[in-house]
Amino acid sequence: MTTLARGADTLTRDALAVLQPGFVGTTAPDWLLRRIGEGLHSVGLFGRNIHTPEQLAALTAQLRAERDDVLVAIDEEGGDVTRLEVRSGSSFPGNHALGAVDDADLTHDVAAELGRRLAACGVNLNWAPSADVNSNPDNPVIGVRSFGADPALVARHTAAYVRGLQSSGVAACTKHFPGHGDTSVDSHHALPTIDVSLEVLRERELAPFRAAIEAGTKAVMSAHILVPALDADRPATLSHRILTGLLREELGYDGLIVTDAVEMQAIAATYGIARGSVLAIAAGADALCVGGGLADDDTVVVLRDALVAAVRSGELPEERLADAAARVRALGEWTGSSLRSDHAPQTGIGLVAARRALSVTGTHDALTSPPYVAAFTPMANIAVGDETPWGVAAELTRRLPGTETGTYGDGVSADDVLAAAGTRRIVAVVRDVHRHAWMASAVDALIAARPDTVVIEMGVPQSEPRGALHVATYGAARVCGMAAAEVLTGA
């Protein structure tokens, strides 16, 4: 079918339909509403767009006044990565805590309650769950976002999460295909490589995605990673062999393929966002996530025009763009007609799950007087962000008024903490201590000076338990801090 036969207006609408842009503000800007009227079919929300559930519901209603089947997407994993509760911390533990409990029914119910809350606010596409097998404990971007390091465990919890979320009428977007767990580079900053055999990939990385497809995931998000065993030349997001050959043809997936954000440096610094977007659609992607960093009309126009120009030049087959746009519209139709389970609110399920996830080593008397909380804080990755509070200080302060706290980074010494703590009992809060030599050194010196020090590990627990009492929470969500504080105070 030629462009002339279908018409330039149809081509432009298809090009807009495959974009998932973000924007700035808590109400929809005029340019966004205008583009929705012109054919834009999806919008991505971030923490900057959300203040309260009521405000979010009003925002999504504003979008649907322009198009009732618009896809409103969000990156709400729960745990460390939250947009609904970006300013307070999540009411749900993340994947790693759920994997530590290893109760698939609990994972289903947590995802169903999260989906219920999203649906109540008008959100119908969630860029979750992360189905990555965290086989590299030094992974700087996945970590507690993964259910764990065992492919079978990750597979069963991914499937449970997908079913739970979608039972609420919210489409799941399983990520990051074909698996981001065995990387040592954050794709927000550069292009990672997973250099393992095809056999390992099939048995390890792909197992959770097969489970997600069987569970009926409505969307799959591609990873900006180079996997030489599958394609030595192009990252997964831009690889026809991976998106079409592997995901579509070999694994039999027929739903929506969404790219990770095209402005991430793994794509932007190597191909540019316009060129990368064209290559992604040509490779088999159906929707382009953009807007975490670029959130304006100019970006939408640049990408729209790049896709239209690529069709007109013959670089991008028109049928491929039309197929991608059709898949986006089909998901919009599903979200409007999906059967939702009649879930009663389970408001306390997140704290229940966080409590069950705790691993406690050692003994101690319950804290009865205000302690000194030393929060050893590494640099947060972009997916998590540094604006979301974490730790146990807020909850301990609520339970033990007068609790003092200090935040410490690279370069801290044990003497700094000891001087600030005085005679107070020290609670050292760490995050992935095995990944940060400065943190391990400071905490070990602190314990040597004060053997009664309590250590709360809120990342991936890899090292030996430290301190008189060691509590592993398997995540840094607000409810993980609440559960840990209960242990410390004997609640």
Side-chain angles (χ1 to χ4, degrees):
M1 185 182 294
T2 66
T3 301
L4 182 62
R6 296 181 69 243
D9 183 62
T10 299
L11 177 58
T12 299
R13 293 182 71 84
D14 284 350
L16 282 171
V18 303
L19 304 181
Q20 292 189 347
F23 61 96
V24 176
T26 54
T27 59
D30 290 342
W31 69 261
L32 183 63
L33 298 176
R34 185 173 67 255
R35 298 302 176 197
I36 292 174
E38 294 172 355
L40 186 71
H41 212 293
S42 307
V43 174
L45 299 181
F46 298 86
R48 64 183 178 234
N49 305 122
I50 300 167
H51 279 171
T52 66
E54 295 76 18
Q55 168 268 321
L56 177 56
L59 169 57
T60 59
Q62 184 186 16
L63 297 171
R64 291 207 165 82
E66 296 294 324
R67 182 183 198 95
D68 59 7
D69 60 350
V70 67
L71 290 171
V72 181
I74 198 170
D75 194 3
E76 182 60 46
E77 299 176 14
D80 289 29
V81 180
T82 178
R83 308 300 179 232
L84 286 181
E85 301 178 279
V86 67
R87 293 166 186 82
S88 63
S90 181
S91 300
F92 302 93
N95 286 2
H96 212 56
L98 295 172
V101 178
D102 195 13
D103 180 343
D105 290 337
L106 177 66
T107 295
H108 175 283
D109 291 347
V110 166
E113 173 61 15
L114 179 58
R116 186 193 68 80
R117 296 190 192 185
L118 289 171
C121 295
V123 176
N124 56 11
L125 172 59
N126 190 10
W127 294 318
S130 290
D132 309 292
V133 179
N134 199 53
S135 53
N136 182 354
D138 291 330
N139 194 312
V141 68
I142 301 301
V144 294
R145 300 169 66 196
S146 166
F147 288 110
D150 175 56
L153 179 145
V154 176
R156 63 177 171 268
H157 286 278
T158 296
Y161 194 106
V162 167
R163 293 189 180 103
L165 185 66
Q166 293 187 170
S167 72
S168 299
V170 176
C173 183
T174 306
K175 61 188 182 185
H176 306 79
F177 187 82
H180 208 313
D182 191 17
T183 58
S184 57
V185 173
D186 185 343
S187 52
H188 291 89
H189 302 299
L191 179 63
T193 297
I194 296 183
D195 198 5
V196 298
S197 70
L198 189 58
E199 181 181 9
V200 169
L201 287 168
R202 293 190 188 284
E203 293 181 358
R204 189 179 67 186
E205 269 70 24
L206 296 184
F209 291 97
R210 286 193 294 267
I213 292 169
E214 184 176 346
T217 186
K218 293 297 178 180
V220 169
M221 178 176 282
S222 67
H224 303 329
I225 56 175
L226 191 66
V227 188
L230 298 173
D231 189 331
D233 300 318
R234 287 187 173 173
T237 293
L238 311 184
S239 172
H240 188 274
R241 297 178 195 172
I242 294 175
L243 298 189
T244 299
L246 176 59
L247 183 53
R248 287 270 187 241
E249 297 172 0
E250 182 177 331
L251 298 183
Y253 177 65
D254 195 40
L256 190 75
I257 299 176
V258 183
T259 71
D260 209 342
V262 294
E263 72 266 35
M264 291 164 60
Q265 290 303 297
I267 299 298
T270 51
Y271 296 88
I273 63 167
R275 174 70 175 158
S277 295
V278 169
L279 293 174
I281 298 296
D286 305 306
L288 301 163
C289 175
V290 60
L294 299 173
D296 52 48
D297 190 35
D298 290 345
T299 300
V300 171
V301 171
V302 165
L303 297 185
R304 179 201 65 187
D305 291 352
L307 292 168
V308 170
V311 170
R312 288 175 173 161
S313 71
E315 180 183 13
L316 173 63
E318 186 178 1
E319 293 79 4
R320 171 77 275 273
L321 180 61
D323 173 64
R327 290 180 188 276
V328 173
R329 296 179 185 122
L331 184 57
E333 292 174 4
W334 177 86
T335 61
S337 62
S338 63
L339 295 176
R340 301 180 182 183
S341 299
D342 187 17
H343 294 302
Q346 302 184 73
T347 54
I349 193 171
L351 181 55
V352 169
R355 288 167 176 160
R356 290 182 62 186
L358 293 180
S359 175
V360 182
T361 305
T363 58
H364 84 121
D365 296 330
L367 296 176
T368 56
S369 59
Y372 182 79
V373 179
F376 293 85
T377 306
M379 183 178 296
N381 69 60
I382 292 176
V384 173
D386 57 10
E387 68 269 41
T388 303
W390 69 285
V392 300
E395 186 64 17
L396 283 177
T397 299
R398 187 181 72 81
R399 291 171 174 273
L400 297 171
T403 295
E404 293 187 4
T405 186
T407 301
Y408 301 92
D410 194 355
V412 65
S413 72
D415 290 339
D416 297 330
V417 180
L418 291 168
T423 60
R424 293 171 179 261
R425 184 79 176 272
I426 297 174
V427 178
V429 185
V430 299
R431 203 169 182 173
D432 293 340
V433 68
H434 67 281
R435 292 184 51 232
H436 305 283
W438 64 268
M439 190 185 301
S441 176
V443 172
D444 286 344
L446 188 61
I447 293 169
R450 294 279 292 273
D452 65 344
T453 295
V454 175
V455 177
I456 312 294
E457 169 60 87
M458 306 196 80
V460 178
Q462 286 289 322
S463 55
E464 290 297 318
R466 290 171 161 86
L469 178 73
H470 183 276
V471 180
T473 63
Y474 297 87
R478 175 169 52 87
V479 287
C480 296
M482 293 170 65
E486 289 177 347
V487 171
L488 267 58
T489 56

